[in-house]
Amino acid sequence: MIQITMPLNFLGSVYREIRQALVDMAEMFDLLEQPAEVTDKPDAPDLEINGGAVELDQVEFGYEAARPILHGVSIRAGAGETIAIVGPSGSGKSTIGRLLFRFYDVTGGAIRIDGQDLRDVTQNSLHRAIGVVPQDTVLFNDSIRYNIAYGKEGATFAEIEAVAKAARIHDFVSSLPEGYDTQVGERGLKLSGGEKQRVGIARTLLKNPPILLLDEATSALDTETERDIQQSLKAMGVGRTVITIAHRLSTIADADRIVVLEDGVVREEGRHDELLALGGKYAAMWARQAAEEDDDGEAEANAVA
Ligand code: ATP
């Protein structure tokens, strides 16, 4: 569990930026304990965004040389496209997210954003370009206003309110006696999983990144909350390149492309309907999940009866 209690406001914007990137990544990938293994090249330029196209080109990677994890993975997300990566546990989905942040360098092939190899640009500019909405947003022990404003230095209240509305958290916040000044976190108001995630969405909206990496919620949100969150996420994805690491297939059926990863290899790729028609791994996963959801529904109905 990450706990950040130090008052850090005074440490200046560079540190703040690094910390933001670390918090984003730590939230998503539980990475605080991992060493940073990569450094900027001398005189590396900033990443220049021109639409935000992401390309994994024959990527090879293993955390240890003796155990390769990704084997020649090629995935392309054109500017503004939504790509979903699905696959069994351990297939390498989160690893792709980590590589996209350049937490590690690929051992073969390349990852490029708008044609620029991640190894050639500054990590700061890379981290600025990618917004993460993790499953479990970490809140600071501070006000809701601070927690949202964290997405952008010097954000005005009007901006904070606008993104809170877009993330569908504004009405809830307004209903609290202290509104945006309500203290949250360990020592303040405990927010539900869905509320926390919406604060995370608002924060990311404020950051306004051209590329979004979504670790799709698997946490126990009720169906209605989940639907709301999905709508907020979808609205957030408009005009951005979105890469979703998906655990539930129902939420990614309208992705521009779905990539099925298994044992670090892309096994299938296509739109939902194409993959269903193919009758392969995705179709089997879809059938299995539908059956499980039916079972859950029956179990709930039985419990109520
Ligand atoms: P899940 O759906 O369960 O989150 P995933 O598809 O995201 O799984 P990854 O987290 O990418 O899978 O893991 C792929 C493989 O890499 C796994 O075999 C895992 O054990 C291994 N792995 C992940 N992180 C590390 C690490 N820090 N060091 C060594 N091996 C790791």
Side-chain angles (χ1 to χ4, degrees):
M1 209 49 235
I2 308 152
Q3 210 175 357
I4 298 168
T5 48
M6 254 198 308
L8 288 164
N9 296 351
F10 63 95
L11 284 176
S13 65
V14 172
Y15 188 75
R16 183 187 159 93
E17 207 167 83
I18 295 168
R19 182 169 160 243
Q20 165 75 55
L22 275 175
V23 168
D24 284 349
M25 287 180 278
E27 280 176 359
M28 184 164 178
F29 301 125
D30 209 8
L31 275 173
L32 274 190
E33 285 162 25
Q34 302 202 5
E37 302 198 343
V38 296
T39 46
D40 288 356
K41 280 185 181 167
D43 300 322
D46 281 350
L47 174 67
E48 275 184 35
I49 291 293
N50 181 16
V54 177
E55 184 188 14
L56 279 80
D57 182 7
Q58 293 292 319
V59 167
E60 307 279 340
F61 177 73
Y63 295 91
E64 299 136 36
R67 191 170 163 239
I69 301 288
L70 300 179
H71 311 272
V73 170
S74 292
I75 299 174
R76 199 185 138 69
E81 276 190 325
T82 293
I83 302 297
I85 303 175
V86 302
S89 180
S91 55
K93 304 182 293 294
S94 304
T95 300
I96 290 176
R98 293 177 192 130
L99 294 176
L100 189 56
F101 265 106
R102 205 181 161 219
F103 244 71
Y104 301 91
D105 275 334
V106 298
T107 49
I111 303 181
R112 298 183 200 96
I113 293 181
D114 288 335
Q116 299 147 83
D117 192 311
L118 302 192
R119 290 167 289 195
D120 294 336
V121 297
T122 61
Q123 292 174 76
N124 261 344
S125 62
L126 174 66
H127 297 157
R128 267 199 306 272
I130 304 175
V132 176
V133 178
Q135 286 185 31
D136 195 9
T137 295
V138 173
L139 296 180
F140 302 107
N141 292 316
D142 209 307
S143 63
I144 293 184
R145 181 200 302 258
Y146 177 88
N147 270 283
I148 295 176
Y150 200 73
K152 180 185 175 189
E153 203 176 349
T156 65
F157 185 61
E159 287 175 313
I160 293 171
E161 224 178 15
V163 292
K165 282 182 183 159
R168 296 164 183 252
I169 187 82
H170 172 76
D171 289 348
F172 165 75
V173 176
S174 304
S175 74
L176 299 168
E178 293 183 71
Y180 283 85
D181 293 322
T182 306
Q183 296 289 308
V184 293
E186 298 283 311
R187 284 181 262 122
L189 180 69
K190 300 273 182 291
L191 299 186
S192 74
E195 289 155 1
K196 275 205 279 190
Q197 198 168 14
R198 274 178 256 205
V199 170
I201 291 173
R203 193 187 279 169
T204 306
L205 279 172
L206 203 52
K207 183 177 168 183
N208 197 21
I211 298 165
L212 279 180
L213 187 55
L214 305 183
D215 189 6
E216 188 214 48
T218 48
S219 35
L221 299 177
D222 61 71
T223 317
E224 201 177 321
T225 307
E226 170 138 0
R227 217 174 6 236
D228 269 6
I229 297 269
Q230 281 306 325
Q231 280 176 359
S232 304
L233 289 175
K234 203 179 274 180
M236 179 159 73
V238 174
R240 303 175 209 270
T241 307
V242 182
I243 296 177
T244 300
I245 294 172
H247 303 275
R248 305 235 329 235
L249 306 186
S250 52
T251 55
I252 50 134
D254 54 1
D256 292 308
R257 207 153 46 254
I258 298 168
V259 173
V260 181
L261 198 67
E262 192 184 58
D263 298 330
V265 175
V266 174
R267 302 282 187 200
E268 293 173 9
E269 187 170 353
R271 282 198 321 271
H272 173 74
D273 50 347
E274 292 170 343
L275 293 181
L276 284 188
L278 191 67
K281 291 178 188 301
Y282 180 82
M285 286 166 71
W286 179 260
R288 203 162 46 237
Q289 192 157 320
E292 277 168 18
E293 278 168 16
D294 275 358
D295 282 355
D296 287 352
E298 270 173 39
E300 268 172 40
N302 290 338
V304 170

